[in-house]
Every structure is written in structure tokens, then in C-alpha cells.
Amino acid sequence: MDLYFGPTLSLRYAEKHIAGTRFLGELTTTPVGFVTAKGSPLAPALVAAVNKLITTGEYGAIFAKWGVPASQVHESQINPSATF
């Protein structure tokens, strides 16, 4: 394959783990998230869990382990504003 256009997170990972792959840049960034039913009690629980991982540093360690630290968010939110 000569060219692939896709999500930044997977492309940054591919560059670090697939020989001969080069990340050329990004057009825009879009955080990855969870989807739940509207009003689901899971939504606040997921936000709290991710924010706890951010606070303890475990979130950053996960992204560092996979070589994609630039793809982190600074805070988990329910229905954040669109980034594009």
C-alpha cells in the first residue's frame, strides 16, 4: 500500500511498529470516546474512571507505552464540544 488515510491514533502507532511506515501529519484531531445510550448511568462512571486514570498518571503511562502520547486528552467529559 502506498498511502493510507485514517485516524491519527492508529497511524502514529503504525509508524512506530510497522517498518517502512511514515506518519506525514494530521489534518485535524478528534478525540476518541465512548458511546452510551442517552442518560445512561454508565456515562458518568466512564468519565470518572478516565479522569481518575488521568489524575493518577496511569492514562499517560498507557499512551506512552503505545507510543502515542500526543493523542491524550486532558480531561474526560460527557458530550464535549466537537473538534472539527
Side-chain angles (χ1 to χ4, degrees):
M1 176 183 321
D2 293 328
L3 177 69
Y4 175 74
F5 179 82
T8 301
L9 182 60
S10 63
L11 296 177
R12 288 184 187 276
Y13 177 83
E15 178 186 37
K16 297 198 180 340
H17 295 92
I18 301 173
T21 300
R22 189 169 63 155
F23 179 73
L24 300 176
E26 60 187 40
L27 301 174
T28 184
T29 60
T30 302
V32 176
F34 302 99
V35 176
T36 65
K38 189 170 186 129
S40 170
L42 288 176
L46 288 168
V47 167
V50 172
N51 282 330
K52 173 139 184 155
L53 291 172
I54 292 169
T55 300
T56 64
E58 292 174 84
Y59 180 85
I62 292 166
F63 279 74
K65 174 185 176 180
W66 293 102
V68 292
S71 297
Q72 297 178 69
V73 296
H74 300 290
E75 177 186 24
S76 182
Q77 303 173 29
I78 295 175
N79 295 325
S81 299
T83 59
F84 53 85

